[in-house]
Amino acid sequence: QVQLVESGGGLVQAGGSLRLSCAASGNIFSINAMAWHRQAPGKQREFVASITSTGTTNYLDSVKGRFAISRDNAKNTMYLQMNSLKPEDTAVYYCWAATLVTGYWGQGTQVTVSS
């Protein structure tokens, strides 16, 4: 089992920045890739960014150049640095971790960007 806890969400003005954190605990050695997803009101959950155990990253086109995903294996924590935030980035952001067997979700953290 893997437990994921997100933090760092909040209310920010357009153009501002936030850094989300996802702390992993439990069977952390089974984790391969990790990712951030988000779900805006009335919309389906969508992929935002991912990072493999070797550091390869991938991003949703609309966040490329603004968001940066990273992970600190010593702290068992993944981050999402979000810059130049836009109102359309408003959503609940979820942490996700994959093992060879299954995936795990965090409880989500709300990000609200005001115009």
Side-chain angles (χ1 to χ4, degrees):
Q1 292 284 334
V2 173
Q3 294 79 43
L4 303 170
V5 179
E6 302 98 331
S7 61
L11 173 64
V12 63
Q13 289 188 332
S17 299
L18 283 174
R19 189 176 82 154
L20 305 183
S21 299
C22 172
S25 60
N27 191 14
I28 58 172
F29 297 105
S30 66
I31 295 175
N32 295 320
M34 298 185 74
W36 290 96
H37 291 71
R38 66 187 181 187
Q39 187 166 18
K43 296 187 177 181
Q44 289 188 331
R45 191 172 298 190
E46 67 175 354
F47 166 85
V48 175
S50 65
I51 185 167
T52 68
S53 57
T54 57
T56 300
T57 59
N58 192 25
Y59 294 93
L60 176 69
D61 282 347
S62 62
V63 307
K64 285 181 180 177
R66 299 189 298 122
F67 290 11
I69 189 171
S70 62
R71 61 195 285 184
D72 185 334
N73 291 327
K75 295 183 178 180
N76 304 321
T77 302
M78 176 180 66
Y79 303 98
L80 186 67
Q81 178 66 43
M82 305 187 295
N83 300 324
S84 302
L85 282 160
K86 303 176 181 180
E88 51 263 44
D89 295 318
T90 294
V92 177
Y93 283 71
Y94 296 91
C95 173
W96 178 83
T99 69
L100 290 177
V101 177
T102 189
Y104 297 89
W105 291 97
Q107 83 289 350
T109 185
Q110 177 70 47
V111 171
T112 302
V113 184
S114 63
S115 57

